[in-house]
Amino acid sequence: MTQTIDFLSHLNSSQRLAVEHFCGPLLVVAGAGSGKTRALTYRIANLILQHRVDPENILAVTFTNKAAREMKERIEKLFAQQLSVSFTGKPWEALNPDEQTRVRSRIYKTYIKPLWVGTFHALCAKILRFDINKYKDEKGRSWNQNFSIFDESDAQSLVKQIVTQQLNLDDKKFNHKSVRYAISNAKNQGLSPQEFERSQPNYRGRTIAQVYSLYQDKLAENNALDFDDLILVPVQLFQQNEQILAYWHRKFCHILVDEYQDTNRTQYDLIRLLVTGGVESSAFKDWQNRSIFVVGDADQSIYSFRMADFTILMDFQGDFGDGLPDDDTRTMVKLEENYRSRENILQAANHLIEKNTERIDKVLKPTRDPGSPIYYYQAEDEQDEAEFVVQQIRQLQRNTEAENWGDFAILYRTNAQSRPLEEILVRSNIPYHVVGGLKFYDRKEVKDALAYLRSLVNPADTMSLLRTINTPRRGIGKATIDNLVNAASELGVPLWEMLADETSVQTLAGRSAKAVLKFTQLMSQFKDNWRDRKASEIAQAIMEESGYIQDLKSQGTDEAENRLQNVFELFNAILQFEEENLDATLEDFLASASLSSDLDNLQEGQESVSLMTLHSAKGLEFPVVFLVGLEQGLFPNFRSIDDPASLEEERRLCYVGITRAQEQLFLTHARSRRLWATREPAVSSQFLAELPTDLLSNSVPSKRFTTVPSAETAKAPGAKTRKRPSANTPQNWQVGDRVLHTTFGVGNVTHIFSSGTKMSIAVEFSGGGRKILDPAIAPLQRLT
């Protein structure tokens, strides 16, 4: 293997320092748009090309499946360019298409396929396919290697069944979604049902622990794991079996973790065990031919509601590194050069995030010109705000040929904010899509098809069998199904074992026995040979022979036609998976489908405007970004105002939104907004007050805009700006002031938010709760 050029010459000095690091720990603090994916991919290539590391000994953890695919594609392309001369005697550019295909095929088999690159969930599922049969939990529950992966809707259905049917609990007091959320949080903290009960010994805690225990029973009965189990079970397996841990510790000599700020405690435990082989991280010193390379940014940690803990990143230097100050350390590198955004956008982001205290100091450094100023607009209400956004999109799209609808993104704090935007986009005939809506794999017909396939791979998956046994309708009644399920439960065997016994079916199913046995025969013919056939062939055959496709065709409705198209799209997805993963099995595809997210399916270059929450926008970038709803109480939200840690996370969320923009950024808020069925006055977010005024432009005072300001016109003489009354100054209001509001009555000022001449106050009203108000426009009277 020879190299023809210095392939690291494309890197800047900080990227190169990170990539050339070989053994030992390294934390890469990677600012937004600083080329962290490039650093990760080049590091993997450098380990293989320069240090002769076997690809099988490299584990790279990504945040999304899409990121994993992109990383593999980049590595494959990089290897093709580097190795074409040694493989063919000619540089890559001189190869004809057939030669390039042969080179890439050889590279894929030799270097890409053996790499372990994927999300925590996907990689852990792969580990468990080898070793889960050696695991037992604290109650002796066990699983087989052909386990199913229940997605979130499956998990919620199971919890609801336990809450409302098995325990007959009041679903209002023990809402199945909140109970499921509590169980998920417990797993992400590594707590068993018994440990959860000990941590919350009140009635609610004891009841949720009981649901949790029964939920685990049901999962084991179905030979199924949920998303949280995929990480928790390997951790517990490694902790209880030293030999298995030693094997995986030896195998993964070089571990890379992307988005390290978004890891939770269970994920951290997994990485620590694999890196150290069970030794305490601070005591581990055997770094010969071994490394832990993590990339992240505390300033972009926005997933605490998923139990992500950014202090894990903050503690890396103490856990693995040398613990020295930033200027002296050899175990930390900062990537600060930003290749995404214009200078004005980066200046705004830097000024905002420096208000946070819990962070590693860094500054995004521009590599591009300032560009247009950031446009700030105060709307009358949410309707006016939406009209402004759509008008600017139309103007930009019409005036700039290079921009298409897919260049625009509208970001907001909550999903509820999309409604007025969607309505105006529809009226304006502008194509759009909402990221974070119903996932493709959550649609009924797709879940039906997957249930058929899961039943083949995992005979113990009773939930999938129950979904398919009378879908489409076969004349098998609920009473018949209940008889079969109850008998299987009494005997302690999977439902499939009962269905496969003809005598038992004849006895229990009565007049439905013929239909049940016909279904059993259908499934049996596929169960016997699914391993020997392509997944795409099996999927198409079983959906045809089950009558599912014919049933949709016979309905003759638009809805049925749409469902049919989704089934065919599933077939396309399986074919694409087979093309991208040589030797892929049906089991492999089902694992991939279970772990798919809506972000994984977001297509680049879509010809439609993207609408999404700020949480969904993480990892994405767009030429033009509209960040809407910047109002106190909405963004930041009410819950964070009294909690400094939560307020810092809200600020990080705003920072993430700002740094999604490449060319232009628009910031908007409304003077009033209808939320939760009532219209209330609104004031601008404190985050707007934290931005330098010289970076913002609001040169057109009317809500009917005809032009978008450019760098040349933003500060033109005579440009109008909105002035606030002089009463709106910090010294005019104090915490403790009593006020009278014409609608809310008498209240007391509890907080003052101000920066320069911009100001808002929080008032606690005796009958109306807390409100955030702009004293310049709110009908307020100070009481003496």
Side-chain angles (χ1 to χ4, degrees):
M1 193 187 320
T2 60
Q3 293 172 241
T4 58
I5 59 172
D6 176 13
F7 75 102
L8 302 183
S9 61
H10 302 292
L11 306 177
N12 65 40
S13 58
S14 296
Q15 291 171 337
R16 184 156 188 156
L17 187 62
V19 167
E20 290 186 322
H21 174 84
F22 181 32
C23 293
L26 189 70
L27 166 63
V28 180
V29 180
S34 62
K36 67 181 180 66
T37 304
R38 168 172 281 207
L40 285 161
T41 53
Y42 273 73
R43 172 167 174 76
I44 292 173
N46 196 58
L47 286 173
I48 297 170
L49 291 172
Q50 186 66 35
H51 299 288
R52 304 296 189 263
V53 175
D54 191 322
E56 289 188 351
N57 298 138
I58 297 174
L59 174 73
V61 185
T62 63
F63 193 62
T64 64
N65 294 312
K66 181 181 178 183
R69 289 195 299 270
E70 180 184 353
M71 188 176 293
K72 286 182 179 178
E73 288 168 2
R74 287 198 189 190
I75 296 170
E76 183 178 330
K77 183 178 179 180
L78 184 58
F79 272 56
Q81 293 170 337
Q82 292 302 306
L83 302 178
S84 62
V85 173
S86 57
F87 284 175
T88 67
K90 294 187 289 187
W92 175 255
E93 295 77 11
L95 302 181
N96 62 45
D98 288 341
E99 291 173 325
Q100 288 185 348
T101 299
R102 285 196 293 272
V103 169
R104 294 191 71 158
S105 176
R106 182 174 171 184
I107 286 170
Y108 175 83
K109 292 177 182 177
T110 307
Y111 303 110
I112 308 303
K113 187 179 179 182
L115 284 171
W116 285 60
V117 179
T119 63
F120 272 107
H121 295 94
L123 294 168
C124 286
K126 193 173 177 181
I127 289 172
L128 291 175
R129 295 293 178 195
F130 289 94
D131 287 325
I132 196 171
N133 58 321
K134 305 178 183 74
Y135 167 76
K136 289 188 186 301
D137 72 4
E138 75 286 345
K139 277 191 64 175
R141 304 181 188 96
S142 60
W143 285 258
N144 297 323
Q145 291 160 311
N146 60 341
F147 59 85
S148 295
I149 301 172
F150 280 5
D151 62 22
E152 189 55 33
S153 62
D154 296 326
Q156 286 189 17
S157 296
L158 200 53
V159 170
K160 184 176 183 179
Q161 177 186 325
I162 294 167
V163 168
T164 59
Q165 298 176 28
Q166 195 166 348
L167 296 179
N168 294 315
L169 298 171
D170 184 346
D171 192 42
K172 293 182 179 178
K173 292 182 179 178
F174 292 94
N175 177 269
H176 68 279
K177 291 183 178 179
S178 64
V179 172
R180 163 62 189 146
Y181 183 72
I183 292 171
S184 178
N185 283 351
K187 289 186 177 185
N188 284 325
Q189 296 174 69
L191 299 178
S192 67
Q194 293 87 340
E195 290 167 334
F196 178 80
E197 184 174 359
R198 285 197 292 271
S199 71
Q200 299 191 36
N202 52 40
Y203 170 69
R204 182 172 180 81
R206 292 195 304 273
T207 305
I208 291 176
Q210 184 182 12
V211 177
Y212 182 4
S213 183
L214 292 171
Y215 173 69
Q216 291 304 109
D217 290 341
K218 289 292 185 183
L219 287 175
E221 287 174 16
N222 283 269
N223 190 32
L225 301 175
D226 65 22
F227 285 175
D228 305 309
D229 289 325
L230 289 175
I231 301 170
L232 180 59
V233 170
V235 169
Q236 293 176 336
L237 174 61
F238 291 160
Q239 289 170 337
Q240 65 185 228
N241 193 314
E242 292 182 1
Q243 285 185 315
I244 293 176
L245 173 58
Y247 170 81
W248 293 104
H249 169 67
R250 288 192 304 270
K251 179 176 180 61
F252 297 133
C253 300
H254 296 278
I255 297 176
L256 303 89
V257 186
D258 192 11
E259 305 286 8
Y260 194 62
Q261 78 280 351
D262 293 327
T263 52
N264 60 39
R265 284 291 155 184
T266 310
Q267 292 166 339
Y268 167 75
D269 287 339
L270 177 78
I271 293 300
R272 178 181 56 79
L273 287 165
L274 288 173
V275 169
T276 70
V279 177
E280 280 299 315
S281 54
S282 57
F284 182 73
K285 305 298 180 187
D286 185 15
W287 292 108
Q288 185 176 2
N289 295 319
R290 177 172 294 279
S291 68
I292 172 65
F293 181 95
V294 303
V295 181
D297 180 10
D299 291 340
Q300 298 185 71
S301 177
I302 59 173
Y303 296 116
S304 64
F305 65 95
R306 297 179 185 167
M307 303 306 291
D309 185 353
F310 74 97
T311 64
I312 292 171
L313 180 145
M314 302 285 286
D315 293 341
F316 180 89
Q317 287 287 67
D319 287 342
F320 297 105
D322 55 27
L324 296 175
D326 292 4
D327 292 338
D328 302 323
T329 181
R330 299 177 63 86
T331 56
M332 180 171 69
V333 173
K334 296 179 184 179
L335 305 184
E336 297 177 291
E337 292 183 57
N338 178 283
Y339 297 94
R340 174 189 299 160
S341 305
R342 294 288 186 177
E343 183 178 353
N344 285 340
I345 296 169
L346 298 183
Q347 287 183 22
N350 287 329
H351 274 87
L352 178 74
I353 203 62
E354 70 181 12
K355 303 291 190 301
N356 275 9
T357 58
E358 291 288 328
R359 61 189 298 261
I360 296 173
D361 185 48
K362 74 171 192 322
V363 176
L364 295 178
K365 299 173 182 177
T367 59
R368 307 180 63 204
D369 294 336
S372 299
I374 297 168
Y375 199 100
Y376 160 66
Y377 178 62
Q378 177 181 257
E380 292 302 317
D381 53 28
E382 69 275 13
Q383 190 76 11
D384 181 24
E385 180 182 56
E387 288 178 1
F388 164 74
V389 169
V390 171
Q391 196 166 19
Q392 299 314 302
I393 290 175
R394 272 206 174 281
Q395 188 76 18
L396 280 169
Q397 200 271 344
R398 186 163 53 242
N399 292 347
T400 311
E401 293 182 3
E403 288 174 336
N404 58 52
W405 299 124
D407 290 337
F408 302 97
I410 308 173
L411 312 182
Y412 36 77
R413 181 63 180 83
T414 67
N415 279 308
Q417 292 171 254
S418 74
R419 182 196 57 77
L421 292 159
E422 290 189 68
E423 288 178 353
I424 293 182
L425 286 165
V426 169
R427 290 204 304 269
S428 303
N429 292 317
I430 295 177
Y432 74 93
H433 64 281
V434 179
V435 178
L438 186 64
K439 291 194 305 180
F440 174 75
Y441 289 108
D442 280 345
R443 294 167 186 168
K444 177 188 180 302
E445 57 279 6
V446 176
K447 288 186 72 68
D448 289 343
L450 292 175
Y452 271 102
L453 300 175
R454 291 199 324 201
S455 298
L456 301 181
V457 172
N458 177 16
D461 189 345
T462 296
M463 280 191 69
S464 292
L465 271 176
L466 291 174
R467 188 178 185 105
T468 58
I469 192 170
N470 202 37
T471 306
R473 295 189 182 279
R474 298 183 171 89
I476 305 173
K478 182 178 183 299
T480 296
I481 295 173
D482 288 345
N483 287 340
L484 292 164
V485 169
N486 292 336
S489 179
E490 286 290 324
L491 295 174
V493 298
L495 176 62
W496 174 253
E497 199 168 312
M498 189 65 58
L499 296 179
D501 182 62
E502 184 174 347
T503 301
S504 298
V505 172
Q506 295 283 8
T507 303
L508 295 168
R511 287 180 297 177
S512 299
K514 183 176 180 181
V516 173
L517 291 173
K518 185 176 181 181
F519 169 74
T520 304
Q521 183 181 8
L522 167 75
M523 299 300 290
S524 294
Q525 74 183 56
F526 286 97
K527 278 181 182 289
D528 292 340
N529 63 5
W530 69 265
R531 292 184 184 278
D532 302 323
R533 301 173 64 182
K534 284 189 173 183
S536 54
E537 293 176 2
I538 299 168
Q540 293 179 57
I542 199 168
M543 295 308 287
E544 286 280 2
E545 295 185 30
S546 67
Y548 194 97
I549 289 177
Q550 183 56 43
D551 180 65
L552 289 176
K553 288 180 177 179
S554 66
Q555 292 179 32
T557 65
D558 289 342
E559 180 183 359
E561 178 62 27
N562 287 334
R563 292 185 183 279
L564 187 61
Q565 291 302 319
N566 283 332
V567 173
F568 290 145
E569 184 57 32
L570 176 64
F571 298 159
N572 292 336
I574 300 175
L575 285 167
Q576 181 179 339
F577 182 80
E578 290 172 339
E579 291 170 359
E580 294 175 351
N581 301 271
L582 301 179
D583 306 321
T585 66
L586 175 60
E587 193 172 56
D588 296 330
F589 172 76
L590 290 173
S592 173
S594 296
L595 299 173
S596 175
S597 76
D598 52 332
L599 293 183
D600 294 328
N601 300 315
L602 183 63
Q603 299 296 316
E604 294 184 6
Q606 284 193 154
E607 288 290 332
S608 58
V609 176
S610 297
L611 276 68
M612 69 190 81
T613 65
L614 285 148
H615 284 99
S616 295
K618 179 73 167 60
L620 303 177
E621 58 185 41
F622 301 89
V624 183
V625 167
F626 293 85
L627 181 47
V628 302
L630 278 158
E631 294 143 30
Q632 203 71 3
L634 178 60
F635 189 30
N637 62 31
F638 275 118
R639 294 187 303 276
S640 68
I641 291 174
D642 287 328
D643 182 351
S646 295
L647 185 60
E648 290 210 352
E649 177 151 338
E650 289 286 293
R651 189 176 285 110
R652 292 195 293 268
L653 191 57
C654 189
Y655 174 82
V656 166
I658 290 172
T659 54
R660 299 311 94 194
Q662 296 169 300
E663 302 293 335
Q664 282 193 274
L665 174 65
F666 293 78
L667 306 176
T668 70
H669 75 91
R671 291 165 61 92
S672 72
R673 185 176 297 274
R674 189 187 301 279
L675 287 173
W676 305 291
T678 61
R679 178 168 297 285
E680 295 187 3
V683 296
S684 62
S685 168
Q686 68 185 83
F687 299 151
L688 283 170
E690 292 170 2
L691 299 177
T693 55
D694 63 332
L695 294 178
L696 305 182
S697 170
N698 61 345
S699 59
V700 183
S702 163
K703 73 177 184 179
R704 299 301 178 191
F705 284 81
T706 56
T707 60
V708 174
S710 66
E712 291 74 23
T713 63
K715 298 182 180 180
K720 297 179 181 179
T721 57
R722 180 174 50 84
K723 294 183 178 180
R724 292 178 177 268
S726 60
N728 187 8
T729 57
Q731 60 266 31
N732 285 3
W733 291 93
Q734 294 181 358
V735 172
D737 282 351
R738 294 183 73 242
V739 299
L740 174 65
H741 190 282
T742 56
T743 302
F744 305 125
V746 176
N748 292 300
V749 176
T750 61
H751 295 77
I752 295 174
F753 309 100
S754 63
S755 177
T757 61
K758 297 181 180 180
M759 176 183 172
S760 58
I761 60 176
V763 182
E764 187 75 36
F765 293 99
S766 56
R770 178 183 291 160
K771 308 292 181 184
I772 308 295
L773 302 170
D774 182 346
I777 61 173
L780 282 176
Q781 177 184 348
R782 196 195 325 252
L783 300 176
T784 56

